[in-house]
Amino acid sequence: MTSPAGPPPTGGGDEQQRIRLLAVTACPTGIAHTYMAAEKLAQAAAGLGIEMKVETQGSIGAENVLDDNDVRSADGIIVAADKDVDLSRFAGKRVLTVGVAEGIHHPERLIERVRSAPVHTPGGAPTGRAAAAGGGKERGPVYKALMNGVSYMIPFVVVGGLLIAVSLALGGHATAKGYVIPEGTFWAHVNAIGGIGFQLMIPILSGYIAYAIADRPALVPGMIGGWIANTGALYDSKAGAGFIGAIVTGFLAGYLVLWIKKVRVPKFVQPIMPIIVIPIVATTALGLFFIYVIGKPISWVFEHLTSWLGGMTGSSAVLLGAILGLMIAFDMGGPVNKTAFLFGAGLIASGNQTVMGMCAAAIPVMPLGQGLATLIRRRLYTEQERETGLAALFMGCFGISEGAIPFAAARPAQVIPANMLGGAVAGAVAGLAGVKDAVPHGGPVVAVLGAVGGVPTFFVAVAIGTVVTALTTVTLVDVAERRRRSESAGGAEPVPAGAGAVVPGQARREPMTVAAVPAPAEAGAEAHGARAEGAAGAAETSGEAPEVLSGYLTERTVEVALAADGKGAAIREMAELLSRSDRVADVEELVAVALRREEQGTTGLGEEIAIPHAKTDAVTAPVVGFARSARGVEWGSLDGTKARLFFMIAVPEAAAGDEHLRILAMLSRKLMDPGFRERLLAAADERAVLDVLGEVG
């Protein structure tokens, strides 16, 4: 625990020299705004004779992290952020929290305000939420919280599912009781480890949804609430509430903790609120509420649903198969899925194996369909989602429907209907063909091991359902992407589908990065000026344009007179400019991804600067373009100015290393120099622009 800073010195110049401040800057994407705010704060501190160390939480890896010694000796901390920043390490210190825009436009004011900022106490609210309004348009808090839970859940789904699938493949065999691995064997232990991953998957989803809403005090009630939701025995249900129940408990826990935080308590109780009082009260209240208020209706609904299914056994096999397929696909291991599965499994003992055959055909459709979708339209998905898609394909082969949960949780409006349609088709085809399954398990593995009657038609049913799910998913996601891009373009000409996937950022947390305070502006300008003179001299000698930004920007990707007068048109013109480099494979896709990025938050940085950027396989190698507009383009910039200086940066999804991000960070800092901007605006032609940009290290 650090000790309170106490009132900072307010004396003369000698005392002021002893003032030591820290700062943390962060924006939702961790790129330009982050470093521009850091540069402005560092320049302001240097001008006031104050020692300051700035940590940036960006996208290029750790640099100069604020350690315990830094915090211990600090007189105050400025947090200029539009995303969550962990303040627990600053307990006992004066902490001023603002949006990242404040760090860019009013650094001197922040340095003055931090001297009288309140002392941060443990359990204080996370930063970035209230201040986010200063950082441009973002996804709503509900979406970001959901994506935060999904991002933490994915590794548990993948690890648990793959371990279970491998153990079943190598150590299991079909029996009348299901797919069995002999107890005490090596593969039984591997299977048990995978099962633990699945047990933790639902609480992790719930816990990190709650954490994104109300920070650390909400983590325990969120996780325990998710465990309760998934444990049907606690409220007399044969099946838990699954991932849908976890989403409910996650949001309930998060907002319950936020409400409890607002309750005024005596000062002596405040230190134990976040670590004892809030977790205990929220966990108890949420758990009992779920068991006695939510759980009982869930149990009643699914008991009657089972009875209703029992009355349908004499009905049309096609209709029954479609209904079972819809139920199997709805929540992928949740209560609706379990009701259909247990209904089919229970009829095996009575000699009716056709109902389980319908279920067995529908069970693998969701993971197989979602995995296939990531292969059909790769550019609709992030790299992490594509990797999850490959794992889902493998899990689907072994009848592990939970492999599709990450996709359903991230895009429920598109994925769940597609899953249900494919599951219904698979179940109906299996019912029509009279497919039988002698063991309570599903997926191609049961057919390979001889538990299925009517193997050819079983595989036909699975294949048709998988294709239907995949095609429906990409269609629905594509429509949603078109709608978002059309809205973000503000009426500009629509562009073809294929934008980069959601960055669960969202709701997802970015890795911490930090930046050391640069040298005083004057010294930095001299050093950059020397480099620029050297580059220009070399260019004059060789007759070639100087290499700029490690060769990512060339004379071919510079335009001194941008013709566009709107954001959508400007991005398209910049994308066409980048295509002159021969590094752009798909201009339309690049435009789409750049527009999608603008939805997450404006790339208009103020000071008449915009830096649109995109990470997409529409480019084959990192490339940077520069353009200038005499009239300016409305970009939603932080300070309300029109953008006149444009840098567009595009990198492939799998770009090796982080050099391009380091260059962007250096460029963002350099753009805070008014003289540098003036030289860019005054440069006569493309060659002169390159000479000025040669100042960037």
Side-chain angles (χ1 to χ4, degrees):
M1 176 75 69
T2 54
S3 59
T10 57
D14 291 337
E15 289 187 27
Q16 192 179 50
Q17 289 288 344
R18 293 196 294 270
I19 296 176
R20 290 185 293 273
L21 299 180
L22 304 179
V24 179
T25 63
C27 64
T29 56
I31 306 182
H33 297 76
T34 300
Y35 303 105
M36 296 175 80
E39 179 74 3
K40 280 290 189 179
L41 285 167
Q43 289 177 358
L48 294 171
I50 294 174
E51 181 182 346
M52 176 180 281
K53 182 176 180 180
V54 184
E55 173 184 294
T56 60
Q57 293 192 8
S59 301
I60 62 174
E63 301 173 309
N64 200 26
V65 177
L66 300 182
D67 57 30
D68 291 343
N69 290 331
D70 296 324
V71 175
R72 189 177 300 112
S73 61
D75 297 305
I77 296 101
I78 298 169
V79 179
D82 288 340
K83 63 185 287 291
D84 291 343
V85 174
D86 183 7
L87 298 185
S88 61
R89 55 184 167 154
F90 303 139
K93 293 292 182 179
R94 299 186 185 277
V95 178
L96 175 65
T97 59
V98 296
V100 72
E102 288 292 301
I104 296 175
H105 299 296
H106 306 292
E108 294 87 358
R109 185 188 305 173
L110 298 183
I111 291 173
E112 182 63 31
R113 287 172 57 193
V114 75
R115 303 185 192 189
S116 57
V119 174
H120 177 67
T121 57
T127 70
R129 293 180 220 285
K137 182 181 177 182
E138 294 186 75
R139 295 278 189 172
V142 171
Y143 174 84
K144 291 193 291 185
L146 177 61
M147 291 307 301
N148 190 65
V150 171
S151 67
Y152 279 99
M153 175 188 68
I154 285 175
F156 291 85
V157 177
V158 173
V159 171
L162 292 182
L163 287 178
I164 291 173
V166 169
S167 63
L168 289 174
L170 301 178
H173 57 275
T175 70
K177 295 182 179 181
Y179 220 110
V180 174
I181 301 174
E183 293 185 7
T185 63
F186 172 81
W187 293 114
H189 293 150
V190 173
N191 185 271
I193 294 172
I196 292 172
F198 266 15
Q199 286 178 323
L200 292 173
M201 169 184 71
I202 299 302
I204 289 293
L205 173 63
S206 177
Y208 279 98
I209 289 174
Y211 178 74
I213 295 170
D215 206 46
R216 194 170 299 172
L219 192 58
V220 170
M223 286 192 173
I224 293 179
W227 189 282
I228 292 171
N230 202 41
T231 308
L234 292 173
Y235 42 92
D236 300 324
S237 174
K238 291 183 179 180
F243 85 95
I244 295 178
I247 292 174
V248 172
T249 56
F251 283 106
L252 286 176
Y255 287 109
L256 176 60
V257 169
L258 281 183
W259 178 77
I260 296 174
K261 283 182 175 182
K262 296 178 182 178
V263 176
R264 293 186 177 182
V265 298
K267 192 172 183 179
F268 71 89
V269 179
Q270 291 177 357
I272 64 171
M273 285 291 289
I275 58 175
I276 297 178
V277 178
I278 292 177
I280 289 177
V281 172
T283 300
T284 304
L286 176 62
L288 294 177
F289 177 78
F290 199 95
I291 291 173
Y292 289 106
V293 179
I294 299 178
K296 293 296 182 181
I298 290 176
S299 176
W300 183 87
V301 166
F302 293 110
E303 284 177 4
H304 285 73
L305 188 57
T306 302
S307 300
W308 175 70
L309 286 173
M312 290 190 62
T313 53
S315 302
S316 166
V318 174
L319 177 60
L320 180 59
I323 293 174
L324 290 172
L326 287 170
M327 295 174 65
I328 288 287
F330 175 68
D331 54 2
M332 294 147 285
V336 178
N337 173 287
K338 285 290 196 302
T339 298
F341 178 82
L342 293 173
F343 174 68
L347 291 177
I348 294 176
S350 64
N352 184 345
Q353 299 178 358
T354 56
V355 175
M356 192 63 218
M358 303 171 193
C359 296
I363 284 171
V365 163
M366 299 80 73
L368 291 177
Q370 295 306 320
L372 180 60
T374 65
L375 298 178
I376 293 175
R377 291 296 302 276
R378 291 177 57 83
R379 291 173 182 169
L380 289 174
Y381 298 89
T382 65
E383 184 176 356
Q384 183 184 40
E385 286 176 317
R386 293 197 293 266
E387 292 172 356
T388 304
L390 294 177
L393 287 170
F394 190 74
M395 284 186 262
C397 292
F398 291 88
I400 302 172
S401 59
E402 288 86 349
I405 287 179
F407 299 97
R411 296 183 176 95
Q414 291 81 38
V415 172
I416 292 178
N419 284 347
M420 293 176 68
L421 181 59
V425 170
V429 172
L432 179 64
V435 172
K436 297 182 179 181
D437 183 8
V439 301
H441 200 83
V445 65
V446 293
V448 172
L449 295 177
V452 168
V455 172
T457 49
F458 171 81
F459 278 110
V460 168
V462 171
I464 294 175
T466 297
V467 171
V468 168
T469 291
L471 294 180
T472 305
T473 298
V474 297
T475 300
L476 293 178
V477 172
D478 207 2
V479 169
E481 298 303 318
R482 287 175 181 270
R483 185 181 300 116
R484 289 195 187 101
R485 289 198 301 272
S486 176
E487 292 172 356
S488 69
E493 180 184 353
V495 295
V502 171
V503 182
Q506 338 70 358
R508 159 172 95 198
R509 296 177 182 269
E510 300 179 71
M512 178 179 292
T513 64
V514 288
V517 176
E522 294 81 2
E526 290 176 6
H528 286 307
R531 281 194 293 270
E533 291 174 6
E540 291 172 4
T541 302
S542 64
E544 299 176 356
E547 183 178 280
V548 174
L549 303 183
S550 294
Y552 296 135
L553 187 146
T554 66
E555 193 169 354
R556 286 187 295 174
T557 58
V558 173
E559 176 59 64
V560 294
L562 193 72
D565 56 4
K567 180 188 287 191
I571 286 178
R572 176 172 294 278
E573 190 172 344
M574 290 291 291
E576 292 171 349
L577 178 64
L578 294 187
S579 68
R580 300 178 189 172
S581 68
D582 298 327
R583 295 181 180 182
V584 179
D586 189 339
V587 172
E588 297 295 335
E589 179 67 13
L590 176 57
V591 172
V593 177
L595 288 174
R596 177 65 178 275
R597 166 59 188 87
E598 293 296 326
E599 290 184 5
Q600 299 174 21
T602 179
T603 57
L605 308 181
E607 308 286 0
E608 301 183 322
I609 303 162
I611 307 183
H613 44 275
K615 190 170 186 179
T616 170
D617 288 333
V619 296
T620 57
V623 59
V624 179
F626 169 81
R628 194 173 63 196
S629 171
R631 294 175 296 176
V633 177
E634 180 57 50
W635 213 273
S637 298
L638 300 175
D639 60 357
T641 60
K642 289 186 176 182
R644 297 179 63 196
L645 300 174
F646 304 88
F647 290 88
M648 187 168 189
I649 301 168
V651 298
E653 284 279 5
D658 55 13
E659 184 184 7
H660 56 284
L661 292 174
R662 295 188 183 279
I663 290 172
L664 178 55
M666 290 188 293
L667 176 62
S668 300
R669 294 188 181 106
K670 187 63 178 173
L671 285 168
M672 291 295 93
D673 179 359
F676 180 74
R677 297 195 302 271
E678 289 174 4
R679 291 192 293 278
L680 278 178
L681 288 169
D685 53 25
E686 287 80 0
R687 185 63 172 269
V689 166
L690 292 179
D691 289 341
V692 176
L693 291 175
E695 299 177 25
V696 179

